[in-house]
């Protein structure tokens, strides 16, 4: 395969994997320790917020500790996928 085609295939695969992992993480609300939906559910049951400990309530959404590292995770997974495609589409070495 030509290097240009291999590079474009690797770039497309890397971007696709990074976007897929990002969508998966956002769909599961990985960035939030306490989500707005959890607070709304607790308020629907008559509580002021999500109860962490007896008598201690959270009334606003709280970010998870590792939320700042999520873009790094997405980038590294996309880069790993791109490297795998680049290595996998390479020609076989000459033997003999």
């Amino acid at each position: 395969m030509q290097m240009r085609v291999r590079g474009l295939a690797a770039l497309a695969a890397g971007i696709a994997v990074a976007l897929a992992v990002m969508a998966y993480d956002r769909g599961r609300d990985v960035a939030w320790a306490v989500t707005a939906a959890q607070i709304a559910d607790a308020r629907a049951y008559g509580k002021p917020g999500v109860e962490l400990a007896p008598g201690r309530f959270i009334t606003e959404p709280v970010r998870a500790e590792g939320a700042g590292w999520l873009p790094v995770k997405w980038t590294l997974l996309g880069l790993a996928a791109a490297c795998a495609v680049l290595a996998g589409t390479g020609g076989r070495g000459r033997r003999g």
Side-chain angles (χ1 to χ4, degrees):
M1 246 186 185
Q2 289 183 346
M3 186 59 189
R4 179 177 290 167
V5 175
R6 289 177 59 209
L8 287 175
L11 181 65
I15 290 172
V17 167
L19 289 176
V21 173
M22 180 178 66
Y24 179 73
D25 284 348
R26 287 191 177 184
R28 289 187 10 206
D29 285 330
V30 173
W32 298 98
V34 177
T35 64
Q38 290 172 329
I39 294 170
D41 288 343
R43 287 185 178 161
Y45 285 108
K47 296 181 180 178
V50 176
E51 188 171 9
L52 292 181
R56 185 170 174 216
F57 292 93
I58 297 292
T59 59
E60 294 181 7
V62 177
R63 301 261 308 164
E65 282 185 37
W69 289 100
L70 286 175
V72 175
K73 172 188 163 185
W74 303 329
T75 303
L76 290 177
L77 286 173
L79 184 62
C83 289
V85 169
L86 195 61
T89 57
R92 295 173 63 180
R94 291 188 180 192
R95 295 183 186 198

